[in-house]
């Protein structure tokens, strides 16, 4: 997938799926802005990736905080950069049965998983509109499309991303900005490994391909949606789940 000359921003790119996406977009030729909220961690990672001859830069902000996002875009604007690709990947998982859910959990989950998509899309789409071209890729979840017990908050935050994706796709099409979502199933990262052994096995059993997915299997689809190979694809939710049944 040739992404030469394109500039991308990936949120939550210090580990897991986000790191793989950032790495692979850069490997395909894009200049990639690596987002994280821990400045030291982000700068260390940027140095490591630069040593692999990848073109990456830091983009430090807490995506759940509007002012933090605004500040980061303000300094980005000073660099006079364009933006072609935004991947809204940052997310948290904090499962609880509905009777046990706290207001704090609801607010933190929606701020991180959902509000962030609106915050980042607002600023990114302004940059993209200047060039009359762009691709926004939102990482939702199979829990957002299908739901699951104990995951009303997380599922709600991920389902909302689908409404945002479809609405923005319609609103921004006139500016040649495409907006799509990916709904991963069960992917091998710290997040999926945080469940108990019993739940882990239960999840594997529910996958037709009988194995956990790899972060690279998400980043391959991101690369397609970021590239001109998907130039007529917008408003879609692409399941990448090995045939998982929930
Ligand atoms: P990880 O927990 O491995 O990584 C999440 C990343 O998001 C971390 O880098 C984390 O940074 C970052 N992040 C969290 N909150 C913020 C914030 N407020 N501001 C900036 N960055 C933040 O998760 P995954 O890689 O597994 O998940 C990536 C995305 O994919 C998430 O949106 C998740 O919901 C989704 N997903 C994952 C699935 C899976 O099976 N793994 C399945 C379906 C969807 P820090 O290290 O600072 O916490």
């Amino acid at each position: 997938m040739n992404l030469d000359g394109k500039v991308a921003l990936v949120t939550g790119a210090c580990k897991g799926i986000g790191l793989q996406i950032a790495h692979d977009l850069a490997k395909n030729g894009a200049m990639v802005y690596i987002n994280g909220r821990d400045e030291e961690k982000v700068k260390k990672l940027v140095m490591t990736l630069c040593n692999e001859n990848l073109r990456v830069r830091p983009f430090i902000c807490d995506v759940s905080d509007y002012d933090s996002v605004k500040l980061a875009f303000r300094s980005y604007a000073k660099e006079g950069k364009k933006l072609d690709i935004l991947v809204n990947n940052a997310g948290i998982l904090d499962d609880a049965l509905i009777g046990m859910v706290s207001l704090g959990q609801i607010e933190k989950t929606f701020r991180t998983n959902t509000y962030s998509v609106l915050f980042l899309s607002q600023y990114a789409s302004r940059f993209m509109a200047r060039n009359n071209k762009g691709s926004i890729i939102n990482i939702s979840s199979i829990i957002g499309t299908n739901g699951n017990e104990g995951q009303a908050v997380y599922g709600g935050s991920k389902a909302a991303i689908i409404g945002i994706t479809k609405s923005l796709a319609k609103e921004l099409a006139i500016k040649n900005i495409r907006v799509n979502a990916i709904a991963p199933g069960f992917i091998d990262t710290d997040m999926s490994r945080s469940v108990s052994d019993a739940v882990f096995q239960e999840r594997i059993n529910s996958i037709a391909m009988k194995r956990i997915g790899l972060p690279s299997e998400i980043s391959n689809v991101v690369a397609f949606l970021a590239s001109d190979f998907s130039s007529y694809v917008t408003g879609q939710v692409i399941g990448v789940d090995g045939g998982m049944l929930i």
Side-chain angles (χ1 to χ4, degrees):
M1 222 69 74
N2 184 0
L3 300 176
D4 282 347
K6 294 201 188 277
V7 181
L9 165 59
V10 183
T11 68
C14 285
K15 64 175 185 166
I17 295 170
L19 174 56
Q20 187 75 48
I21 292 169
H23 183 275
D24 292 355
L25 290 177
K27 226 173 153 193
N28 282 308
M31 145 92 85
V32 181
Y33 279 77
I34 305 272
N35 163 254
R37 50 196 161 164
D38 179 336
E39 186 166 353
E40 209 176 301
K41 203 153 108 184
V42 176
K43 287 191 168 160
K44 211 168 145 193
L45 175 63
V46 163
M47 269 181 47
T48 307
L49 295 176
C50 282
N51 287 337
E52 289 181 36
N53 286 326
L54 298 173
R55 293 196 310 140
V56 293
R57 299 272 185 283
F59 191 96
I60 295 144
C61 69
D62 176 343
V63 297
S64 68
D65 177 344
Y66 186 78
D67 290 336
S68 177
V69 172
K70 187 173 159 184
L71 261 173
F73 270 102
R74 208 173 264 173
S75 46
Y76 185 82
K78 280 187 195 142
E79 290 183 33
K81 285 278 180 295
K82 62 167 189 154
L83 186 61
D84 304 289
I85 301 155
L86 166 67
V87 186
N88 282 308
N89 164 80
I92 54 168
L93 174 74
D94 189 7
D95 293 343
L97 295 171
I98 193 66
M100 304 299 287
V101 166
S102 69
L103 178 59
Q105 260 175 312
I106 297 171
E107 286 179 346
K108 191 171 176 204
T109 302
F110 272 82
R111 280 201 155 272
T112 308
N113 294 0
T114 317
Y115 287 19
S116 66
V117 175
L118 295 166
F119 297 163
L120 272 290
S121 298
Q122 181 181 66
Y123 281 97
S125 62
R126 288 179 190 156
F127 282 88
M128 292 171 177
R130 288 181 201 159
N131 290 328
N132 205 37
K133 194 169 186 182
S135 174
I136 298 176
I137 300 149
N138 298 322
I139 307 298
S140 176
S141 169
I142 194 170
I143 312 300
T145 54
N146 293 28
N148 196 27
E149 63 180 83
Q151 297 198 287
V153 180
Y154 179 77
S157 74
K158 290 294 182 179
I161 290 177
I162 294 170
I164 294 168
T165 300
K166 289 178 181 282
S167 300
L168 287 183
K170 288 180 177 163
E171 181 176 327
L172 298 174
I174 191 78
K175 292 169 181 162
N176 199 26
I177 299 170
R178 298 181 295 105
V179 189
N180 291 287
I182 294 175
F186 196 46
I187 309 299
D188 200 356
T189 67
D190 289 351
M191 184 181 278
S192 51
R193 295 277 172 185
S194 69
V195 300
S196 69
D197 289 352
V199 171
F200 188 89
Q201 201 46 54
E202 202 179 289
R203 297 262 157 93
I204 298 293
N205 292 342
S206 71
I207 301 167
M209 293 181 79
K210 297 293 170 214
R211 68 167 177 86
I212 196 163
L214 301 173
S216 60
E217 292 174 311
I218 303 299
S219 74
N220 286 340
V221 180
V222 169
F224 165 70
L225 291 173
S227 78
D228 293 341
F229 280 110
S230 59
S231 53
Y232 203 51
V233 181
T234 196
Q236 303 304 307
V237 183
I238 302 182
V240 185
D241 58 25
M244 190 174 190
L245 287 175
I246 283 195

